[in-house]
Amino acid sequence: MSSQNPEVMSPAGLAQRLAPGQRLLGIDLGSKTIGLALSDAALMIASGITTLKRTKLSRDSEILVQLIMERDIGGIVVGLPINMNGTEGPRAQATRDWARELAKNVGLPITFWDERMSTIVVERAMIEANLSRAKRAKRVDEAAATYILQGALDRIGSLRRPIRQKQ
């Protein structure tokens, strides 16, 4: 599963490249962990899968390749940590570099999705659901990956719906 020039594209472009029934993998890349989520085959609903302990990219890629083959994944949505003012800092560039290398290793196209507020939103939801701090810590990255992937799926869905003309 290796590709010399993996493509970075828009979410809509990524969805168009998928074969029927293929899914998207959502990734929330942290400094110590990688949250993972998976779309359904209809590209409508994101569900959390797990959180991996982040190691070397080569080892992380091996785990992801296995997951990609098992789950018929055709593309990857990576959360991009954009600053609140819309600029990209060192974390965003590091995420872009990591994602491009991952795409080369797994041979799949990728897209980036603005992840501003994703962790804050999911942590608030977990607090409202009365999850303990320990349970929140274990699930926040997976939940953030789900939130990121769902945002991309919603965008893809909005582009697929026919535009209604006002009468």
Side-chain angles (χ1 to χ4, degrees), residues 69-114:
M69 292 188 312
E70 289 171 359
R71 305 282 181 106
D72 196 20
I73 294 167
I76 301 171
V77 177
V78 178
L80 188 63
I82 296 173
N83 295 325
M84 292 306 287
N85 67 2
T87 62
E88 292 188 19
R91 266 191 71 222
Q93 189 55 53
T95 298
R96 283 188 185 280
D97 294 344
W98 182 91
R100 285 189 179 103
E101 286 303 310
L102 173 68
K104 286 180 194 175
N105 291 345
V106 301
L108 292 178
I110 60 170
T111 192
F112 293 101
W113 191 257
D114 183 348

Side-chain angles (χ1 to χ4, degrees), residues 140-157:
V140 71
D141 296 312
E142 176 185 330
T146 304
Y147 184 84
I148 290 162
L149 181 55
Q150 189 63 56
L153 294 174
D154 291 347
R155 176 69 176 145
I156 290 166

